[in-house]
Amino acid sequence: MVATFKAIVIEKSDSGQKVGLADFDEANLMEGNVTVRVEWSTVNYKDGLAITGKAPVVRRFPMIPGIDLAGSVEASSDPRWKPGDGVILNGWGLGETHLGGYAEKARIKGDWLVPLPARNSARGAMAIGTAGYTAMLAVMALERAGLNPSRGPVIVTGAAGGVGSVAVALLAKLGYAVAASTGRPEEAEYLKGLGASEIINRAELAGPARPLAKERWAGGIDSVGSTTLANVLSMTRYGGAVAACGLAGGMDLPTTVAPFILRGVSLLGIDSVMCPLPLKEEAWRRLAADLDRAKITAMANEIGLDDVIAAGRRIVEGKVRGRIVVKIG
């Protein structure tokens, strides 16, 4: 008898993409030297794109989506990992080219794993998830660019989403005055609870960007892209920096070189997928130390594996606030 386990599976045929909860044969797991019993995963924007097929996130079929996971090692031929070790995995093509986290079991490469920080539970790590980890990478990039709270206020776009929520909480904890941009005014109290000192309607950043607008922020974290990012750049103060980590508003960037050559503004690209392991480990250590656990609890909603497909559709429609954690096993 071949062992099976529950998993969300995406299949593709000439008639299109189909996704559902299924029994998956363990024999069909991909190559890897570590087998993980998955305990928790999350729903990120990229997961929503994969589940709905609205963007070509998935590169092979059938695919188990889920771009991150946390759990415990079940078996390992990698000397760095032994049964029972708590681990985190995000990136490295998980849920895109390698079978992902929406399953009770995963077989992966030991090189991809990060140890679960002692201060974090598996659920706590996934309440942060890829979105929160990406936000931390953005904060670290801004710090390397010389940004600090004394330089002035910072803006976070898409602030009510997963990346934005964690970014607001992180920056506020580090002492920044945070302007939170959102298209959902009903989330103002939620964002103030995370530490935002100002709420900005995203409509202010939605129109065509001027080459240079009034200087408003010392820096920012943008998860939207397109005209929103263009406007943020045009409003960034001299010598400021903006970390770009998302494309919910589009992949285009309708701007000019003016902010870069006349104000010395830096645009910092944030990649969470192929991020070098030392930087990834530092980001998770910083998250364990710098993120207010009470705020993470406030922004996280829990669902089961059978609710993932509906949640994926909601996140693409912009109907999700904060973080969604998925209880797998």
Side-chain angles (χ1 to χ4, degrees):
M1 294 289 290
V2 176
T4 63
F5 53 86
K6 293 294 183 183
I8 301 290
V9 180
I10 301 174
E11 297 180 290
K12 192 172 185 180
S13 65
D14 292 341
S15 59
Q17 177 173 301
K18 181 176 68 173
V19 58
L21 184 62
D23 292 317
F24 196 86
D25 289 347
E26 187 171 346
N28 292 330
L29 285 173
M30 298 173 70
E31 291 184 5
N33 54 5
V34 179
T35 301
V36 175
R37 171 64 63 179
V38 183
E39 298 166 7
W40 295 89
S41 185
T42 73
V43 180
N44 299 281
Y45 188 76
K46 186 182 282 188
D47 297 314
L49 294 176
I51 287 167
T52 60
K54 290 188 177 295
V57 170
V58 176
R59 311 290 177 83
R60 71 177 296 278
F61 296 91
M63 173 55 66
I64 297 173
I67 64 171
D68 48 20
L69 61 85
S72 57
V73 173
E74 185 175 271
S76 172
S77 60
D78 185 323
R80 293 169 295 181
W81 306 104
K82 64 183 187 300
D85 284 347
V87 293
I88 302 169
L89 172 55
N90 59 285
W92 301 108
L94 197 72
E96 301 175 65
T97 58
H98 195 94
L99 298 177
Y102 295 154
E104 294 175 328
K105 198 169 287 194
R107 185 178 297 132
I108 39 75
K109 296 180 180 179
D111 290 342
W112 298 348
L113 294 171
V114 173
L116 182 67
R119 293 184 61 194
N120 263 354
S121 64
R123 186 191 187 281
M126 287 298 97
I128 296 167
T130 293
Y133 154 76
T134 301
M136 188 74 250
L137 289 178
V139 170
M140 290 161 57
L142 292 175
E143 290 173 343
R144 290 194 301 272
L147 204 66
N148 60 62
S150 69
R151 295 279 300 275
V154 293
I155 185 168
V156 175
T157 68
V163 174
S165 292
V166 180
V168 170
L170 277 170
L171 290 165
K173 176 88 180 301
L174 292 169
Y176 291 88
V178 183
S181 169
T182 181
R184 293 180 272 174
E186 68 275 13
E187 303 295 3
E189 290 308 309
Y190 163 76
L191 292 167
K192 288 178 181 176
L194 294 179
S197 55
E198 181 184 4
I199 308 299
I200 293 174
N201 192 305
R202 71 179 176 199
E204 291 188 40
L205 306 173
R210 297 170 58 188
L212 290 175
K214 181 181 178 181
E215 296 176 82
R216 297 178 67 177
W217 303 292
I221 295 176
D222 173 68
S223 62
V224 179
S226 193
T227 54
T228 296
L229 177 54
N231 275 290
V232 169
L233 288 167
S234 76
M235 298 174 185
T236 299
R237 295 179 181 178
Y238 189 92
V242 178
C245 58
L247 46 69
M251 290 187 68
D252 61 320
L253 182 56
T255 188
T256 71
V257 297
F260 311 117
I261 65 173
L262 297 179
R263 287 187 182 160
V265 171
S266 297
L267 177 58
L268 312 171
I270 306 300
D271 167 56
S272 66
V273 177
M274 305 304 289
C275 177
L277 194 59
L279 192 59
K280 183 171 288 193
E281 290 173 338
E282 181 186 353
W284 281 106
R285 285 194 298 269
R286 287 283 304 273
L287 284 161
D290 294 342
L291 192 55
D292 187 322
R293 291 171 182 274
K295 290 180 179 178
I296 277 292
T297 300
M299 72 174 74
N301 298 294
E302 183 178 318
I303 64 172
L305 195 56
D306 53 353
D307 297 317
V308 164
I309 296 171
R313 293 177 180 138
R314 290 200 311 275
I315 200 168
V316 170
E317 293 168 357
K319 296 179 180 178
V320 168
R321 180 181 83 177
R323 304 285 297 122
I324 297 177
V325 290
V326 184
K327 185 173 175 55
I328 304 291

